[in-house]
Amino acid sequence: MKSRVFPYQKVARLSVFPMLPLQLQAKNKTVNEIALLDSGAAMSVMPFELGVRLGLDWDTSLKGSGLGNLVKPEDSRLVFLDVLIDPFKPFKNVFVWINTDDVRFVVGQANFLAHFDVLLCARKQEFTLYETGEA
């Protein structure tokens, strides 16, 4: 089973979080980005500008179901992107693409945790991904 340890990263002046460097691919475009790894988030969430950088088309993307009371369905789309995290094999992950940049790029449970087990070690300020071999 492959695994990799990632250090927490400073996001705000006094705060460190489990931030995951990854590569997204869509429509022959590749973007390197850093996402907040949030095992409590049901879905992975992507701000609008990131989808634009990937060449996604809002008008032709699959309409989303929103994010509970936070985002209305008409302000979201579901997109399936190829995700690469070194040294693991690439996989498809579903993201809720939001029609605003006022959201953080988040990797949540669906379907990220079908590919990885996660061990968060806040005291050590690091986390480990373990490839599950599933999905």
Side-chain angles (χ1 to χ4, degrees):
M1 174 187 322
K2 286 185 185 173
S3 67
R4 180 173 170 194
V5 177
F6 296 87
Y8 276 34
Q9 294 183 24
K10 191 171 280 220
V11 174
R13 205 173 112 221
L14 299 173
S15 300
V16 291
F17 293 99
M19 304 298 290
L20 179 64
L22 48 78
Q23 189 176 80
L24 301 171
Q25 293 181 334
K27 298 189 173 209
N28 298 322
K29 290 196 178 187
T30 300
V31 173
N32 291 310
E33 195 57 66
I34 298 175
L36 172 65
L37 175 60
D38 185 350
S39 62
M43 297 292 298
S44 297
V45 178
M46 184 174 65
F48 186 76
E49 181 272 335
L50 181 53
V52 171
R53 286 190 346 211
L54 285 162
L56 301 178
D57 181 357
W58 183 264
D59 295 325
T60 60
S61 295
L62 181 64
K63 291 191 180 186
S65 59
L67 286 176
N69 293 331
L70 301 174
V71 176
K72 296 181 276 187
E74 58 269 20
D75 292 331
S76 68
R77 299 291 188 263
L78 292 178
V79 293
F80 297 86
L81 303 175
D82 292 316
V83 178
L84 294 92
I85 302 168
D86 185 45
F88 308 107
K89 49 186 183 194
F91 63 97
K92 283 234 185 268
N93 199 74
V94 62
F95 291 86
V96 179
W97 183 25
I98 306 296
N99 193 13
T100 182
D101 290 325
D102 293 333
V103 295
R104 184 179 296 275
F105 179 41
V106 172
V107 177
Q109 291 183 35
N111 59 318
F112 184 81
L113 293 183
H115 297 278
F116 298 100
D117 289 330
V118 178
L119 175 62
L120 298 169
C121 298
R123 185 180 51 77
K124 291 182 177 181
Q125 294 189 348
E126 66 184 28
F127 64 99
T128 305
L129 291 184
Y130 299 91
E131 196 166 43
T132 64
E134 297 293 317

